[in-house]
Amino acid sequence: MKERTRKLLTRFSSVNSFLTYEDLSKEFSISERTVRNELVLINNYLTEKNYPTIMTARGKGLKLTLSDKEREKLLLRIGDDRETDYYRPDERFLALLLDIVNPSNTTILYEMEKKLLVSKSTLDEDMRKLRFYLKDHDISVVSLPKQGVVLQGDERSIRSMLYGVITSMTDIDNLMSFQNTEAAIPILDQLVLSYLDLEVLQIISKNYDEILEKSMVEINYVYRNQVILFLGIWIRRLQEGNILYESVKSHNWIKDCPTETFVDGICKEFDLELPLNECEYITQTIESFNPKDMNNSVDWITAQLLAIQLIEHVEKLTGIPFSQREEDLYEGLYKHITGLLSRAKNNIQASNPLKETIKDSYAEIYQAVTCFKRQIEDYTKKPLSEDEIGFLTVYFSTSASWMKQEQRYVFQAIVLCNHGISTGKLLAANLKEHFNIDIVAVLSSHELAFIDKLDVDLVFTTIPIDYQKKPLLVLNPILRESDKKEIKEFLLKNKNKRRIISNKFDATSLMQDVLALIIESGGRITKESYQRVEETFKEHHLKINTREIQPMLQDILKQSNILLNQECGDWKEAITKVAEILVSDAVIEESYITAMIKSVEEFGPYIVVGKHLALAHARPEDGVNKLGISVLTLKNPVYFGNPDNDPVRIVFCLAAVDSYSHLNVMKNLIDLINDEEKVNRLIAVQDIDMFNNVLYGSEKNKLEEERFS
């Protein structure tokens, strides 16, 4: 079977939906006539192998209807039906790489020519491509006496490179599903399994499922097989004597967790005795594939900043009101980004087999997320892959899908009719019944002046009028079928005028209104009264998004927690001074200050989140008693070591008790991070009242400040 024919048949065998000649022509860059010719060959092949043939359904397209078992067998057979035994370029690349990386082989290039059945010039070109690829991973290919061709580079880089190559060239899920046989296994998968050993992967799989399920941990099946594959590479490299030798501080190791238990079990299973840094390395790598909450990651504040900014960014670019489902969307993004940041530190790229489908199906959202990649790369210092962009897109597309179920689109319109008020109302009723149109008013031709005063999108009229400010359609007073078709085309042409109307009852908004009424009536909201209102809503089965009624920055930043124009010798003193206010208020313990300083010493100046601005923080378990925040401005700037945002002139200290109660505070701080002018004004302020005016104020406050300066 020719390569093009094989690819077309694989396409039909991989989907259970209709494909058109036009789609296939574009996808494979061939003419529709060529597609038809190929289908004749494919159907002959299917008939010969006793499979159903590809059938045509009028108005729908082409489809190959198979049972799951037939589909699985056919896909395996397709991979095996090749015209020759020659390796294709991608197969030669993988075969060459795995031969070189395998220490049990002595790779001699002229011997590889025979093994791969290629000429010297072809192998030279293959080696050139391999060297070019490895260069991006800081790995070189060298020839050594008696050892042949070998790889030289950092062990972490070699492991990550192997993982990246295998995930990009094979279907991991299929790889894990093969039994202990090489029959009907595609060449690429055979090469991988000959290097990693299927039995080893199956042992890892068994331990992974058993230990994590017994530990009541939610297994992330999106990443499960990727973790198992990486572990297979890790074990193979360890067994060959390739161990990380750099010194790693032991307190980073995630101890007493299911992952540690799992790693211990794997070590016993394969009789591995590991140094502490290897245990820490593999534990953190596995954890990076699992969405995590703040208690498991030093990057929790960074992840929150990025999640909030990403939601605002995508909402702005797409016009989709994602803030309406912010609770679920934020939680998914935050946990995913935490894992993403961790993977970047370990130089691991998650594989997303559906990225092309996601890119095509949700093009607008995918493009919007892509436009945000630089902000993420500023933190990771690594390119953001299309795989990760695809994962992030899914969170948004899921929210958008839910919103569509909770919302409807409507046009707001008026009706102009000179045939009497009853006829006009009948036309209005018909428009509302058959289409998503809300009629705001029924007017006569003498009332044209009112159109500009009404909040409407469209004008429907039974009389021709000269009006060009809004889209207009002339109709018969009594709608005919031809009118309905014309209306459909008119609405489609003006679909950008639609409005989103929510079908969802907003209990959160109702509760906020109730609380506002209590205040307006002279009452006072206390913790107890708030809890009673909340319980009343719950008793009536009304779900409240508590994050929407969380405290703002001005609610928790007390006057006494603002220090201006302070002198500090270095960044450690600045953190200590801004945090000591919270210690005196029993918001945090002294241990929290130690944890913040230690974290910067170990992980670098990641707390410098904006130009001249640092957000000092540690994890809740490091000594937080309650939610709190403090701030100081510096007379002389200090340097944290951040090349983009140093020197620092303002330091906030955040004490958070959980992942969510401070989110509105984070939104306030993001606004500040994005407003360098406001930061500069805060630095210059000498008075606490003026500091608050600038921090929370409007343009009016700004003018007052300038008047008194």
Side-chain angles (χ1 to χ4, degrees):
M1 185 186 299
K2 293 180 180 178
E3 184 65 16
R4 185 172 63 200
T5 313
R6 189 181 67 82
K7 287 183 177 180
L8 268 169
L9 178 52
T10 300
R11 182 78 173 93
F12 277 102
S13 305
S14 303
V15 299
N16 195 26
S17 56
F18 286 96
L19 300 169
T20 67
Y21 286 109
E22 183 181 3
D23 292 338
L24 294 168
S25 173
K26 291 179 181 177
E27 186 174 337
F28 290 92
S29 300
I30 55 179
S31 67
E32 291 187 24
R33 181 178 179 180
T34 302
V35 174
R36 294 177 190 277
N37 292 337
E38 291 288 353
L39 287 181
V40 173
L41 298 175
I42 289 172
N43 277 337
N44 289 339
Y45 173 87
L46 292 170
T47 302
E48 180 184 325
K49 304 297 181 184
N50 296 317
Y51 285 102
T53 57
I54 296 170
M55 305 299 291
T56 303
R58 185 180 296 275
K60 292 184 178 180
L62 305 155
K63 185 177 180 181
L64 177 58
T65 303
L66 299 169
S67 67
D68 290 342
K69 186 171 286 189
E70 285 176 328
R71 195 177 302 279
E72 182 180 350
K73 286 183 178 179
L74 179 57
L75 284 168
L76 291 174
R77 184 186 288 273
I78 294 169
D80 227 32
D81 284 345
R82 300 154 60 109
E83 285 194 313
T84 70
D85 291 329
Y86 295 131
Y87 285 93
R88 295 194 298 265
D90 57 340
E91 294 167 349
R92 294 200 306 270
F93 180 94
L94 185 59
L96 196 54
L97 173 62
L98 295 181
D99 196 279
I100 293 172
V101 83
N102 187 350
S104 62
N105 297 331
T106 301
T107 304
I108 309 297
L109 292 182
Y110 71 82
E111 292 180 355
M112 289 301 295
E113 294 171 21
K114 298 177 182 177
K115 187 173 182 179
L116 298 177
L117 302 173
V118 294
S119 65
K120 182 180 183 302
S121 60
T122 299
L123 190 65
D124 288 343
E125 177 61 18
D126 289 340
M127 284 298 298
R128 188 192 66 79
K129 291 178 181 177
L130 181 60
R131 286 191 175 95
F132 184 79
Y133 178 85
L134 295 174
K135 185 179 180 182
D136 286 341
H137 296 267
D138 295 321
I139 301 169
S140 57
V141 182
V142 298
S143 296
L144 299 176
K146 298 183 180 179
Q147 294 183 43
V149 180
V150 297
L151 300 185
Q152 286 187 346
D154 177 68
E155 177 58 23
R156 290 172 182 260
S157 298
I158 292 175
R159 294 174 185 178
S160 299
M161 176 274 299
L162 286 170
Y163 168 82
V165 169
I166 293 171
T167 54
S168 66
M169 299 182 75
T170 63
D171 184 327
I172 307 176
D173 295 335
N174 282 343
L175 198 68
M176 299 297 174
S177 67
F178 294 128
Q179 301 301 314
N180 285 307
T181 173
E182 293 190 0
I185 298 179
I187 296 297
L188 288 169
D189 294 335
Q190 287 183 33
L191 292 168
V192 172
L193 293 177
S194 66
Y195 175 70
L196 291 182
D197 190 338
L198 180 59
E199 188 176 349
V200 170
L201 297 177
Q202 290 173 337
I203 292 171
I204 298 170
S205 301
K206 183 173 179 292
N207 279 266
Y208 184 92
D209 293 341
E210 286 183 356
I211 293 175
L212 294 184
E213 283 181 354
K214 286 178 182 176
S215 304
M216 301 299 290
V217 172
E218 182 182 351
I219 295 178
N220 189 337
Y221 286 99
V222 174
Y223 296 137
R224 173 190 178 274
N225 288 342
Q226 297 180 49
V227 173
I228 292 166
L229 174 65
F230 191 89
L231 282 164
I233 295 169
W234 176 69
I235 289 170
R236 176 68 194 257
R237 296 292 294 173
L238 288 175
Q239 290 173 334
E240 294 167 351
N242 299 297
I243 296 176
L244 301 178
Y245 291 106
E246 70 267 31
S247 174
V248 180
K249 296 180 181 180
S250 61
H251 70 269
N252 286 332
W253 187 20
I254 307 168
K255 297 181 180 179
D256 302 321
C257 69
T259 305
E260 181 197 3
T261 305
F262 169 60
V263 172
D264 285 343
I266 290 295
C267 291
K268 291 175 183 175
E269 191 80 51
F270 294 98
D271 195 26
L272 300 172
E273 292 186 9
L274 302 181
L276 183 59
N277 56 341
E278 277 288 2
C279 293
E280 179 181 338
Y281 163 81
I282 198 60
T283 302
Q284 289 183 339
T285 299
I286 296 169
E287 283 290 306
S288 74
F289 280 96
N290 295 317
K292 293 185 292 299
D293 210 336
M294 60 191 294
N295 294 338
N296 297 323
S297 173
V298 71
D299 294 311
W300 63 279
I301 282 288
T302 300
Q304 289 184 347
L305 287 169
L306 288 171
I308 294 170
Q309 290 174 303
L310 180 57
I311 292 172
E312 292 176 350
H313 170 86
V314 175
E315 182 173 271
K316 181 179 179 181
L317 262 61
T318 63
I320 302 171
F322 286 109
S323 53
Q324 291 183 10
R325 287 193 62 85
E326 185 177 39
E327 183 175 2
D328 295 331
L329 175 58
Y330 166 81
E331 186 169 350
L333 286 174
Y334 159 56
K335 290 183 176 180
H336 183 90
I337 291 173
T338 307
L340 185 159
L341 295 174
S342 181
R343 287 192 291 277
K345 286 182 179 178
N346 289 290
N347 201 27
I348 298 296
Q349 293 274 14
S351 175
N352 187 342
L354 298 176
K355 65 182 176 185
E356 293 301 327
T357 303
I358 293 168
K359 187 190 297 187
D360 292 340
S361 302
Y362 307 104
E364 183 183 19
I365 296 175
Y366 183 93
Q367 186 56 41
V369 175
T370 301
C371 291
F372 189 78
K373 65 181 292 189
R374 184 183 60 78
Q375 286 91 318
I376 296 176
E377 291 171 347
D378 284 344
Y379 284 98
T380 62
K381 307 302 180 187
K382 304 273 176 60
L384 185 68
S385 69
E386 290 189 346
D387 301 77
E388 290 287 10
I389 293 172
F391 282 126
L392 295 171
T393 300
V394 166
Y395 291 102
F396 284 99
S397 57
T398 301
S399 281
S401 181
W402 276 109
M403 281 190 288
K404 283 182 180 178
Q405 297 177 43
E406 296 167 354
Q407 298 165 342
R408 63 187 179 95
Y409 290 99
V410 300
F411 295 92
Q412 286 195 180
I414 63 162
V415 168
L416 283 175
C417 183
N418 270 7
H419 298 278
I421 191 68
S422 297
T423 305
K425 285 185 175 180
L426 176 61
L427 177 57
N430 283 327
L431 288 170
K432 191 169 184 178
E433 178 186 356
H434 296 291
F435 306 96
N436 291 330
I437 302 174
D438 282 346
I439 303 300
V440 174
V442 178
L443 306 176
S444 70
S445 59
H446 304 293
E447 298 173 300
L448 290 179
F450 283 104
I451 299 178
D452 295 337
K453 298 179 181 180
L454 296 173
D455 181 22
V456 295
D457 311 310
L458 307 173
V459 176
F460 294 97
T461 177
T462 61
I463 51 173
I465 60 170
D466 184 18
Y467 184 80
Q468 299 179 357
K469 293 182 181 179
K470 300 182 189 294
L472 180 146
L473 181 65
V474 180
L475 294 171
N476 289 296
I478 307 299
L479 291 183
R480 302 170 301 191
E481 286 304 314
S482 59
D483 292 315
K484 292 178 183 178
K485 291 180 181 178
E486 194 172 354
I487 293 169
K488 283 182 181 179
E489 293 177 4
F490 177 70
L491 296 178
L492 183 62
K493 181 180 178 181
N494 294 286
K495 64 180 181 180
N496 61 318
K497 304 290 185 182
R498 298 180 303 178
R499 306 186 185 203
I500 297 175
I501 304 296
S502 177
N503 295 325
K504 184 181 179 183
F505 178 72
D506 191 349
T508 306
S509 178
L510 175 60
M511 183 169 178
Q512 289 173 320
D513 291 343
V514 170
L515 296 175
L517 285 172
I518 294 174
I519 295 172
E520 287 174 16
S521 65
R524 184 167 154 268
I525 302 296
T526 64
K527 181 178 180 181
E528 292 72 23
S529 64
Y530 169 82
Q531 288 176 341
R532 285 199 297 271
V533 174
E534 187 178 32
E535 286 301 320
T536 301
F537 272 61
K538 288 180 180 178
E539 287 170 8
H540 287 81
H541 308 291
L542 298 176
K543 184 181 178 183
I544 303 166
N545 179 359
T546 55
R547 297 175 202 170
E548 289 297 318
I549 43 184
Q550 290 162 352
M552 306 292 284
L553 181 59
Q554 56 264 46
D555 298 324
I556 61 170
L557 180 56
K558 300 189 298 185
Q559 296 263 83
S560 57
N561 289 357
I562 302 172
L563 300 176
L564 301 179
N565 206 28
Q566 299 294 302
E567 292 191 10
C568 296
D570 58 20
W571 64 266
K572 291 183 183 179
E573 187 178 348
I575 289 178
T576 302
K577 185 171 282 191
V578 73
E580 281 177 342
I581 323 170
L582 298 180
V583 173
S584 62
D585 282 349
V587 173
I588 59 173
E589 304 294 334
E590 287 282 354
S591 59
Y592 194 73
I593 300 177
T594 303
M596 288 191 291
I597 292 173
K598 199 172 187 180
S599 191
V600 175
E601 287 177 333
E602 178 145 10
F603 299 105
Y606 67 96
I607 67 169
V608 183
V609 293
K611 201 72 175 176
H612 309 311
L613 191 150
L615 178 58
H617 62 276
R619 289 178 276 198
E621 65 270 24
D622 291 324
V624 177
N625 298 321
K626 58 184 177 181
L627 177 63
I629 194 166
S630 58
V631 62
L632 68 76
T633 62
L634 291 155
K635 184 175 182 179
N636 298 307
V638 298
Y639 289 81
F640 279 74
N642 186 304
D644 299 319
N645 295 321
D646 269 346
V648 169
R649 300 294 301 270
I650 301 180
V651 181
F652 283 89
C653 178
L654 174 66
V657 293
D658 54 40
S659 300
Y660 308 109
S661 59
H662 60 287
L663 281 191
N664 281 334
V665 175
M666 294 293 289
K667 290 180 181 179
N668 296 147
L669 292 176
I670 286 172
D671 291 339
L672 183 58
I673 291 168
N674 294 331
D675 191 343
E676 192 174 336
E677 181 190 352
K678 181 182 279 191
V679 170
N680 290 330
R681 290 165 59 211
L682 288 173
I683 293 167
V685 165
Q686 303 293 318
D687 175 77
I688 289 179
D689 288 335
M690 189 59 69
F691 183 91
N692 285 329
N693 283 341
V694 174
L695 185 59
Y696 311 125
S698 62
E699 281 301 307
K700 179 181 177 182
N701 299 129
K702 178 181 176 182
L703 292 172
E704 288 178 356
E705 178 206 353
E706 291 172 349
R707 188 161 52 113
F708 289 108
S709 61

